Amino acid sequence: ASPGLAQRLQQGRSALPRREALILLLLLAHPDLVAEHAEELAELEFGCGPPAGHELAALRDRLLDLAHDGDGAGSEALRADLAASGFGPLIGRLDAAAGGSPWYLRPEAAAVDAAHVLRQALTLHRKASTLHRELLSAREALAVDSCEANMARMRDIQEQISALTGAEAAIEGFGASSGRSTSSM
């Protein structure tokens, strides 16, 4: 492979999933959400595999530790603390993975709006994780018995995963607390 292609392949392997980046960036922008969702966050599985998955889990664990300690630091102070702890490069990669800076990732966005986005992202993440586990099971079943029913099950799961990619729900009144337009989709 050419050096350029090898570099793009390596970048693809180290790329962070957008939804996982969004979840962590919401917590960085709105630290109060960490304590509110601590249990669910502690169980959060990162699907990007090592080493990025381990890095994301370490950042999540540090955020949970800081919330448990009751620091109450604002977004900028939290980012500075995490950067001083060696998470600066990872936070930079998270910012890049988010694809710009959506308004709800800004610290001045209303907490209720950020909480809506976080709940939705966590729900979609759980659903995607479940579907990926089901897909692995369906592939194993297909390898054992290549019948039409197993093939249909695998296709159905793949379609559900495709439909879930980029899924967003329209929430009535979403953004109004942050002064955003609430026109429905």
Side-chain angles (χ1 to χ4, degrees), residues 16 24 52 54-60 86-96:
L16 301 174
L24 291 169
H54 295 303
E55 290 178 293
L56 296 176
L59 177 59
R60 183 245 356 248
F87 289 105
L90 176 58
I91 292 171
R93 288 179 28 229
L94 288 170
D95 287 332

Side-chain angles (χ1 to χ4, degrees), residues 57-78:
L59 177 59
R60 183 245 356 248
D61 293 346
R62 182 68 180 133
L63 285 167
L64 288 168
D65 288 344
L66 291 172
H68 182 265
D69 294 343
D71 183 7
S75 177
E76 292 303 316
L78 177 61

Side-chain angles (χ1 to χ4, degrees), residues 7-59:
Q7 182 181 8
R8 284 192 300 277
L9 288 173
Q10 182 60 36
Q11 288 171 339
R13 277 190 219 116
S14 65
L16 301 174
R18 184 170 159 77
R19 190 171 293 129
E20 293 176 6
L22 172 67
I23 290 167
L24 291 169
L25 288 171
L26 278 163
L27 301 174
L28 290 171
H30 305 277
D32 292 342
L33 293 175
V34 178
E36 291 175 35
H37 298 275
E39 263 186 61
E40 194 170 10
L41 294 170
E43 296 173 1
L44 185 65
E45 296 177 23
F46 295 101
C48 53
H54 295 303
E55 290 178 293
L56 296 176
L59 177 59

Side-chain angles (χ1 to χ4, degrees), residues 75-132:
S75 177
E76 292 303 316
L78 177 61
R79 280 178 170 259
D81 181 12
L82 291 168
S85 298
F87 289 105
L90 176 58
I91 292 171
R93 288 179 28 229
L94 288 170
D95 287 332
S101 182
W103 62 269
Y104 46 79
L105 290 179
R106 297 185 189 127
E108 62 271 10
V112 67
D113 291 330
H116 281 304
V117 176
L118 180 61
R119 278 192 299 275
Q120 180 182 20
L122 289 169
T123 299
L124 292 172
H125 182 74
R126 274 192 314 275
K127 177 76 171 166
S129 296
T130 300
L131 286 171
H132 283 288

